[in-house]
Amino acid sequence: MGNVSIETIMTQEPKVKPESNQLAFGTVFTDHMFTMDYTEGRGWHDPMVVPYEPITIDPAAIVFHYGQTVFEGLKAYVTEEDEVLLFRPEENMKRLNRSNERLCMPHFDEELALEGLRKLIRIDKDWIPNVAGTSLYIRPFIIATQPYLGVAPSKTYRFMIILSPVGAYYKEGINPVKIAVESEFVRAVKGGTGSAKTAGNYAGAMKAQEVAEAKGYSQVLWLDGKEHKYIEEVGAMNVFFKLNGEVITPELNGSILEGITRKSVIELLQYWGIPVIERKISIEELYEAHRAGILEEAFGTGTAAVISPIGELSWLDNKITVNNGEIGTLSKKIYDTITGIQTGKFEDPFGWRMTVEY
Amino acid sequence: MGNVSIETIMTQEPKVKPESNQLAFGTVFTDHMFTMDYTEGRGWHDPMVVPYEPITIDPAAIVFHYGQTVFEGLKAYVTEEDEVLLFRPEENMKRLNRSNERLCMPHFDEELALEGLRKLIRIDKDWIPNVAGTSLYIRPFIIATQPYLGVAPSKTYRFMIILSPVGAYYKEGINPVKIAVESEFVRAVKGGTGSAKTAGNYAGAMKAQEVAEAKGYSQVLWLDGKEHKYIEEVGAMNVFFKLNGEVITPELNGSILEGITRKSVIELLQYWGIPVIERKISIEELYEAHRAGILEEAFGTGTAAVISPIGELSWLDNKITVNNGEIGTLSKKIYDTITGIQTGKFEDPFGWRMTVEY
Ligand SMILES: Cc1ncc(COP(=O)(O)O)c(C=O)c1O
Ligand SMILES: Cc1ncc(COP(=O)(O)O)c(C=O)c1O
């Protein structure tokens, strides 16, 4: 793909960059974006870096009506030596293509998309914040653009990458969160779209989140859609439990998203020689482990927070506290190691980093 | 709401209207559209009829990433006396608000939306095709427009109504279709979004449709997501079976869409004194009924086709034929009656029609 040239159009109106220590999440966007179009019969064409601006799209576009769209989320960091690092970006591009497959959307060239991403980042490099904990959030996504009101795969698509400088997830140290176990709403079920990163999964999850927040919880713990019995994910994160020295995470069962942080945590634990098992785990088993005094740690994993320790769980008004509501030793060690690798402070024995040359 | 005025901006470039007998479905749009915006704190504002044209929207808009959107579908007909009729439009507006509720989207004034729809139809009245079987398809929808990459309800929305003249669904008489019973993919599950009309449900359904079509079937029959046992819907239609003189349709269980054609068919059967029962029905029971010789008719119901008779079912390579692959007497009578009421040929004892004065 080295042959495909990516045209660049520079903005004439650069925006004022926010202060690194005043950033929120996902509200500010950089000066440029990557776009590429797909037309049936012609394939993907016209990869470009252009000024960030609103797009013009037909009101009948399939994405608005039938939700044919997929997305990804990853981060770039700038090191103290002013190097720009990406964390396993090829995994995100692979997952995006897997999501495409589920949504009847066309496969794209992962190398070309990575090249587009690197080009975009080079151009907007000065937007990467450098205060501890901050990063540049990267959002690749693809939308169905054909104006057609029939329920059928679109004949045209647009691939875009937008960038947003984001603040530290943990501003005052890592505080474990309170989680409501969801026993009414369902995020996904086997045979559905849960293992793809597609818009509808998130639209459907908002209601449960709204109800949980109103009761004072940060997120919900999702149970499976068939029996409301087995643990699936927490909010938009995968979930891990340390039980009697052993780490357990729900196995990939077709309704759980295959998180890249999840994968990295598993690889890291294996590297450390700590037992880690992917298997079904029921909410009853978890409560039983708590009663038996062997539930040692619990945490969510995802790109945004990396590790999000769980301090309290509430299931049908039955509350349990994990590790006295404090972050566990292992959770902390995983967090420090992964963020250390991501930001270039630690060695990278796994080859997880990609340096963006500029 | 008679007080709210709906501003109108007329197009300067009217398009050429297609011939009534050369129409497809959902590819051609009229000259105008209805739009109305929502801003948190201010509510819905600026209802307008404006020229149909592409919209300008931020690439970070929540609808593209988290699929917060709902829609409706209904039809307008022009009678031989040049009257314009809508079929139960207030039911669509009610359902749109129910979908809003599930998707954490703001309630809108149904009367105002109907007023906007009538105003739009009056302006584009000449676009309503008048050949038998044709109609004007109406698509109200709401999209989340806030540029924000966090998974949370949008603070801004746009409500739109677009119109598309559509051809006859049955050009050469009603041909019963072949249906594949879906045993891998799942459309919806209780606790999910199946009973709302929202984009993600349709995106997730495309794959099953693609697989079924490749095997020579028109649509899939969806089974429940928990046990793959009970019948839910057929394609994007509700489904009915006549067993031994009695009509059965799956009960509304939280994952099935509450179809307006479904409701009308039930009311019509009750009016005729034909037993109609809403209850669970398993695919095994249906096959058993076929073996016993009491499966008399089967049909889907929805706005697009009104009635779509099922001629053949295939479940795990086990094929059965319904009514010799021909449309059943009752199916035909329901089809004729409902389309007769919709198009003004028959009396309307139920008060289902709304006349658009102009
Ligand atoms: C539903 C869901 N689960 C889990 C994850 C975690 O995946 P990752 O570690 O790749 O960010 C995400 C994405 O962040 C997600 O959206
Ligand atoms: C999933 C689904 N089921 C059933 C129906 C039938 O509903 P209605 O009769 O209101 O058109 C529709 C919409 O047409 C639908 O999208």
Side-chain angles (χ1 to χ4, degrees):
Chain A
M1 290 312 310
N3 304 343
V4 178
S5 75
I6 300 171
E7 197 196 330
T8 303
I9 301 172
M10 299 294 289
T11 185
Q12 298 304 309
E13 298 163 24
K15 294 179 274 198
V16 175
K17 296 178 187 66
E19 294 296 324
S20 277
N21 54 9
Q22 284 179 358
L23 292 164
F25 182 87
T27 52
V28 169
F29 301 92
T30 68
D31 280 329
H32 299 86
M33 62 188 186
F34 172 79
T35 71
M36 175 162 74
D37 287 304
Y38 178 91
T39 311
E40 199 183 57
R42 190 173 162 201
W44 289 103
H45 55 88
D46 294 321
M48 299 202 268
V49 173
V50 297
Y52 184 100
E53 65 183 10
I55 56 176
T56 296
I57 181 168
D58 200 283
I62 289 177
V63 63
F64 293 137
H65 304 271
Y66 307 123
Q68 216 197 355
T69 172
V70 295
F71 71 97
E72 272 303 328
L74 66 158
K75 286 180 174 176
Y77 306 85
V78 61
T79 69
E80 283 172 12
E81 292 73 39
D82 217 32
E83 255 195 320
V84 176
L85 302 176
L86 296 172
F87 186 70
R88 312 188 82 175
E90 62 291 345
E91 293 287 338
N92 293 90
M93 295 305 171
K94 268 193 224 162
R95 187 170 64 188
L96 192 56
N97 261 330
R98 285 201 302 275
S99 297
N100 271 336
E101 164 72 26
R102 178 65 183 82
L103 275 296
C104 303
M105 294 168 64
H107 192 275
F108 65 90
D109 185 310
E110 292 163 18
E111 259 314 305
L112 173 60
L114 282 172
E115 186 48 41
L117 171 58
R118 282 187 298 247
K119 185 150 195 172
L120 174 62
I121 289 182
R122 276 194 286 269
I123 290 172
D124 279 344
K125 181 186 166 289
D126 292 346
W127 282 86
I128 312 179
N130 54 14
V131 166
T134 64
S135 60
L136 185 72
Y137 184 77
I138 300 164
R139 171 57 56 88
F141 65 108
I142 309 177
I143 55 175
T145 51
Q146 189 194 354
Y148 177 48
L149 295 186
V151 184
S154 182
K155 296 190 159 108
T156 59
Y157 297 89
R158 171 162 279 200
F159 184 130
M160 305 185 76
I161 305 177
I162 56 176
L163 307 175
S164 174
V166 299
Y169 196 91
Y170 297 111
K171 289 199 178 62
E172 296 137 10
I174 308 187
N175 269 324
V177 292
K178 292 186 184 183
I179 300 292
V181 180
E182 180 57 54
S183 39
E184 181 189 350
F185 295 107
V186 169
R187 191 191 87 91
V189 70
K190 185 157 189 231
T193 55
S195 62
K197 221 165 150 69
T198 183
N201 295 337
Y202 300 82
M206 288 180 185
K207 190 81 189 174
Q209 175 70 21
E210 189 176 83
V211 173
E213 272 177 24
K215 290 186 188 156
Y217 297 94
S218 304
Q219 309 254 305
V220 302
L221 186 78
W222 297 106
L223 301 182
D224 78 278
K226 293 193 181 200
E227 302 179 74
H228 280 268
K229 185 172 167 182
Y230 296 103
I231 295 170
E232 299 233 314
E233 306 196 34
V234 59
M237 291 183 284
N238 295 110
V239 68
F240 286 76
F241 304 99
K242 183 159 166 268
L243 263 62
N244 212 9
E246 200 172 77
V247 181
I248 294 161
T249 188
E251 64 192 7
L252 300 174
N253 59 356
S255 54
I256 291 176
L257 190 81
E258 198 175 336
I260 294 159
T261 319
R262 174 186 183 279
K263 188 174 180 174
S264 307
V265 168
I266 293 172
E267 289 168 19
L268 191 59
L269 291 169
Q270 284 167 340
Y271 180 78
W272 286 338
I274 295 172
V276 50
I277 300 162
E278 300 176 62
R279 67 162 169 88
K280 282 189 174 191
I281 175 165
S282 71
I283 184 72
E284 276 186 21
E285 178 184 347
L286 193 75
Y287 269 62
E288 187 46 58
H290 179 262
R291 265 191 297 276
I294 59 164
L295 171 55
E296 297 158 352
E297 305 189 26
F299 56 93
T301 67
T303 293
V306 184
I307 298 295
S308 173
I310 297 171
E312 186 184 307
L313 282 165
S314 173
W315 177 41
L316 307 171
D317 288 330
N318 211 324
K319 288 184 193 176
I320 61 175
T321 303
V322 185
N323 195 40
N324 293 315
E326 282 159 32
I327 181 168
T329 321
L330 183 63
S331 310
K332 182 75 170 58
K333 189 174 165 196
I334 296 170
Y335 177 81
D336 289 341
T337 308
I338 294 185
T339 55
I341 293 174
Q342 286 172 332
T343 56
K345 287 200 197 76
F346 288 10
E347 287 295 294
D348 175 20
F350 309 100
W352 284 342
R353 290 194 295 245
M354 178 184 283
T355 305
V356 181
E357 312 288 353
Y358 58 95
Chain B
M1 290 312 311
N3 303 345
V4 178
S5 77
I6 300 173
E7 197 196 333
T8 304
I9 301 172
M10 298 295 287
T11 186
Q12 297 305 308
E13 300 162 24
K15 294 179 273 200
V16 176
K17 296 179 188 65
E19 295 295 326
S20 277
N21 53 9
Q22 284 179 357
L23 292 165
F25 182 86
T27 51
V28 168
F29 301 91
T30 68
D31 280 329
H32 299 86
M33 61 188 186
F34 173 79
T35 72
M36 174 161 76
D37 287 305
Y38 178 89
T39 310
E40 199 183 58
R42 191 173 162 201
W44 290 103
H45 55 88
D46 294 321
M48 300 203 268
V49 173
V50 296
Y52 184 99
E53 64 183 9
I55 56 175
T56 296
I57 181 168
D58 199 284
I62 288 176
V63 64
F64 294 136
H65 304 270
Y66 307 124
Q68 215 195 357
T69 172
V70 295
F71 72 96
E72 273 302 328
L74 66 159
K75 286 179 173 175
Y77 306 84
V78 60
T79 69
E80 283 169 15
E81 292 74 39
D82 217 33
E83 254 196 323
V84 176
L85 302 177
L86 295 173
F87 185 70
R88 311 189 82 173
E90 63 292 344
E91 292 287 338
N92 293 89
M93 295 305 172
K94 266 193 224 163
R95 187 170 63 186
L96 192 56
N97 261 330
R98 285 202 302 275
S99 297
N100 270 337
E101 165 71 26
R102 178 63 182 83
L103 276 293
C104 303
M105 293 168 66
H107 192 275
F108 65 89
D109 185 310
E110 293 163 18
E111 259 313 306
L112 174 59
L114 283 172
E115 186 49 41
L117 171 59
R118 283 187 297 248
K119 184 150 196 174
L120 175 62
I121 289 182
R122 277 194 287 268
I123 291 173
D124 280 344
K125 178 184 168 291
D126 292 345
W127 282 86
I128 311 178
N130 55 14
V131 166
T134 63
S135 60
L136 185 73
Y137 183 78
I138 300 164
R139 169 59 56 91
F141 65 107
I142 309 177
I143 56 176
T145 52
Q146 189 193 353
Y148 177 47
L149 295 186
V151 184
S154 181
K155 296 191 160 109
T156 59
Y157 298 89
R158 170 162 279 200
F159 185 129
M160 305 184 76
I161 305 177
I162 56 177
L163 307 176
S164 173
V166 299
Y169 197 90
Y170 298 110
K171 291 198 175 65
E172 296 136 10
I174 308 188
N175 269 324
V177 291
K178 292 184 185 184
I179 300 292
V181 180
E182 179 57 55
S183 40
E184 180 189 351
F185 295 108
V186 168
R187 193 191 85 92
V189 69
K190 186 157 188 233
T193 54
S195 62
K197 221 167 150 67
T198 182
N201 296 336
Y202 300 82
M206 288 181 186
K207 190 82 191 172
Q209 175 70 20
E210 190 177 82
V211 173
E213 274 177 22
K215 292 186 186 156
Y217 296 95
S218 304
Q219 309 252 304
V220 302
L221 186 79
W222 297 105
L223 301 182
D224 79 276
K226 295 194 179 200
E227 302 179 72
H228 281 269
K229 186 172 167 180
Y230 296 103
I231 295 170
E232 299 233 315
E233 306 195 34
V234 60
M237 292 183 284
N238 296 110
V239 67
F240 287 75
F241 304 98
K242 182 158 167 268
L243 264 61
N244 212 9
E246 200 172 78
V247 180
I248 294 162
T249 189
E251 65 192 7
L252 300 174
N253 60 356
S255 54
I256 292 175
L257 190 81
E258 198 174 338
I260 293 159
T261 318
R262 174 186 183 279
K263 187 174 180 174
S264 306
V265 169
I266 293 172
E267 289 168 19
L268 191 59
L269 291 169
Q270 285 167 341
Y271 179 79
W272 285 339
I274 295 172
V276 51
I277 300 162
E278 301 174 62
R279 67 161 167 90
K280 281 190 175 189
I281 174 165
S282 72
I283 184 72
E284 277 186 22
E285 178 183 348
L286 194 74
Y287 268 62
E288 188 46 57
H290 179 261
R291 265 191 297 276
I294 59 165
L295 172 55
E296 298 158 352
E297 303 188 26
F299 56 93
T301 67
T303 294
V306 184
I307 298 294
S308 172
I310 296 171
E312 185 185 307
L313 281 165
S314 173
W315 177 41
L316 306 171
D317 288 329
N318 212 326
K319 289 185 190 176
I320 60 175
T321 302
V322 185
N323 195 39
N324 293 316
E326 282 158 32
I327 182 168
T329 321
L330 183 63
S331 309
K332 182 75 170 62
K333 187 174 166 196
I334 296 170
Y335 177 81
D336 289 341
T337 308
I338 294 185
T339 55
I341 293 174
Q342 286 173 333
T343 56
K345 288 200 197 72
F346 288 11
E347 287 294 294
D348 174 21
F350 309 100
W352 284 342
R353 288 194 296 245
M354 178 185 284
T355 305
V356 181
E357 313 287 354
Y358 60 95

